[in-house]
Amino acid sequence: MESLDFPDLGLLAPVRSFSASPLQSLVLFNNEFTLRFSEHLAARLEKSAATPGDRVSSAFRLIFQRPPTAEELQDFTTLASQHGLPAACRVLINSNEFLFVD
């Protein structure tokens, strides 16, 4: 939590300052929870969808609540075929669209 600027709970902080660093992304990307959840999600997707494209589409719907664009579908299907579906899920879970609310 230190790398994510976790505030000291003993101090009053009505407004939290914003910071973003590459270290924060690496901590989230390599976090044990993220790794484990990516594997569980990939296993769920493999049971529910037959083709790699369908699995990627299902991942987008579950994580982002929207279908992937044609380019996203192609890129993530390629990523999943080269590095495995858990790796593609891990990228989606660590994306700005998932981590931040607009």
Side-chain angles (χ1 to χ4, degrees), residues 22-43:
L23 181 59
Q24 291 172 341
S25 292
L26 287 172
V27 166
L28 289 172
F29 194 69
N30 295 313
N31 182 282
E32 184 179 330
F33 175 81
T34 303
L35 293 169
R36 201 167 351 117
F37 185 76
S38 298
E39 291 171 1
H40 288 296
L41 179 59

Side-chain angles (χ1 to χ4, degrees), residues 41 45 54-64 89 92:
L41 179 59
L45 294 169
D54 290 343
R55 292 174 184 153
V56 169
S57 292
S58 294
F60 268 79
R61 284 188 184 90
L62 287 170
I63 294 171
F64 297 146
C89 292
L92 293 173

